Amino acid sequence: MKKILLFSLLMTAALTAFSQIHNYMELIDNKGNRTQTYPDVTEINPEIQQIINEVDTVAIYNSVAWMQQYVRDAYSPEALLTQNWLVEQYESI
């Protein structure tokens, strides 16, 4: 009797886990607005081009490299240091 009960509990747990994974995968597959349309760009918009020109790709690369130097443990002191640094960067903008 104990074996049947244990087997039933294990099967229920496995089916529940499978169901949750299946539901999660459906969310991933159906992500986004698939009917989204985009305008045809036929000329350069000077305002947008100016914004693009202001992007400092070297600074972005250096920032990402700085953050990657730490072990990726969300509970580590380094993670808090990185979080605070990101907040400072955002606030300075």
Side-chain angles (χ1 to χ4, degrees):
M1 183 68 166
K2 290 181 183 179
K3 289 182 181 181
I4 293 174
L5 181 59
L6 180 61
F7 178 75
S8 297
L9 288 173
L10 289 174
M11 288 302 294
T12 302
L15 290 173
T16 302
F18 177 76
S19 174
Q20 290 175 351
I21 291 170
H22 180 71
N23 291 340
Y24 178 73
M25 295 305 291
E26 284 182 356
L27 289 174
I28 291 173
D29 291 342
N30 296 321
K31 196 165 77 172
N33 182 355
R34 296 175 190 254
T35 61
Q36 178 69 42
T37 59
Y38 300 96
D40 291 328
V41 178
T42 57
E43 59 188 53
I44 294 174
N45 182 329
E47 293 173 9
I48 294 175
Q49 186 61 52
Q50 181 179 350
I51 292 170
I52 291 171
N53 291 341
E54 291 176 9
V55 173
D56 185 352
T57 56
V58 173
I60 292 172
Y61 176 84
N62 289 335
S63 296
V64 171
W66 184 84
M67 288 182 283
Q68 287 180 335
Q69 71 182 328
Y70 297 114
V71 176
R72 294 182 180 157
D73 177 5
Y75 299 104
S76 70
E78 292 84 5
L80 182 59
L81 178 67
T82 302
Q83 174 187 341
N84 292 338
W85 181 80
L86 284 169
V87 169
E88 289 171 8
Q89 297 301 309
Y90 177 76
E91 289 174 343
S92 71
I93 293 172

